[in-house]
Amino acid sequence: MQELHDKLLKEINGQSAEVEDLSPTKFAEKTKQLHDLSQITDRYGEVESLIRDLYSLQQMLEDPATNQDQDLLEMTQEEIKSTTEDIIEKEKELLLSMLPTDTADEANAILEIRAGTGGDEAGLFAADVLRMYERFAERQRWKWDEIAKTHDGLGAIKDATIAITGHNVFGQLKFESGVHRVQRVPATETQGRIHTSTITVAIMPQPTDVQVHIADSDVRVDVFRASGSGGQKVNTTDSAIRLTHLPTGIVVAIQDERSNQKNRAKAFTILRAKLFDLEREKLANERRDKRRAQVGSGSRSEKIRTYNYPQNRVTDHRINKTLHELESVLDGESLPEFIQALRVEEQTDMLMAMNDEE
């Protein structure tokens, strides 16, 4: 591993005779590989250094002179305890750094939210969850670009599609896919009864043009006139776009922009993300057939989280984690507590799977 690390370093610095000048794409790829390898080699070096320290301390403990000095003896014993704890912690970090990484974690993401069962209340909750992710994105300093949104005058959302750009977007949001359930008393409820509504969230990594190539012959492009509730915002030109991917049957329609070209660009962005997500899902299903290590089922139909207003409670059912901080979660402030816990669960499952394979 150290040899591979040194080889990559020479290639990046142009000191290797085996390779010619690297293209920008290859340079970025090898720089990423070097960074990942450095994480492993650095932690391995730290563990080795601590083990040497522990050996020296144990040698000191066996020295008769140490046992004759009570203060020195206690200090040595304390250092042995502390160094042993450090070794355990660094070995854990080393193991985690050796876990396979998902290259899509660093990608930008497409967020889709759709109201489910519950009528208007589901649409209102969809708006609440959309606002939660927007606030979280603001805290992460990510760029939030609304691609499409269907809503009514009451603030309810039927569906929304957002492009989120920034560092490690998909890696942080990928666990949010699934069914989110809300339990609360609607504003229109006169008897004070609690209603249950659901929405569906989908998080898809945004691929590059290189990762997903769409042949012109595979897509049917339909141009039509945008529809709406009337007034000045309804287009009077054929600017709306509908893409149909013939091999998969995936359909994407965009009519939010007045420009045909802008709608077309947005539609292709979503289509690429859907195709990339479909391919990733196929690979994930193949891996699940061999190894059932994952956080939840990963299914879009899986109920993953419940937001209970009367109890001020948010519960993630995949890891049985509950926070009595409903407002803070919906403000995006406490959402990282779920994200971090889900990441730890995923890492634990991966470590257990590695152990089973051995």
Side-chain angles (χ1 to χ4, degrees), residues 224-287:
F224 59 99
R225 185 159 297 179
S227 60
S229 56
Q232 296 180 349
K233 292 187 177 181
V234 177
N235 281 327
T236 56
T237 60
D238 294 338
S239 62
I241 291 287
R242 183 189 300 109
L243 304 181
T244 304
H245 189 250
L246 302 176
T248 62
I250 294 175
V251 177
V252 176
I254 295 292
Q255 62 175 30
D256 283 44
E257 299 287 347
R258 293 180 180 273
S259 164
N260 178 286
Q261 290 301 316
K262 288 182 178 180
N263 283 329
R264 184 187 181 94
K266 285 185 173 184
F268 268 102
T269 296
I270 296 173
L271 179 59
R272 274 193 293 270
K274 286 182 176 291
L275 290 173
F276 189 49
D277 189 56
L278 183 64
E279 185 60 31
R280 283 170 53 83
E281 189 174 353
K282 288 180 182 177
L283 294 173
N285 287 336
E286 291 174 5
R287 287 196 295 268

Side-chain angles (χ1 to χ4, degrees), residues 281-325:
E281 189 174 353
K282 288 180 182 177
L283 294 173
N285 287 336
E286 291 174 5
R287 287 196 295 268
R288 281 198 291 270
D289 289 339
K290 300 176 183 177
R291 186 183 71 206
R292 301 297 298 179
Q294 55 169 8
V295 179
S297 72
S299 170
R300 295 277 162 77
S301 61
E302 179 193 14
K303 182 184 70 177
I304 64 169
R305 196 174 294 152
T306 295
Y307 305 73
N308 187 296
Y309 276 67
Q311 298 177 11
N312 187 36
R313 169 176 61 84
V314 183
T315 298
D316 196 292
H317 304 288
R318 296 163 293 181
I319 52 176
N320 294 320
K321 182 179 178 65
T322 294
L323 294 177
H324 291 277
E325 304 172 11

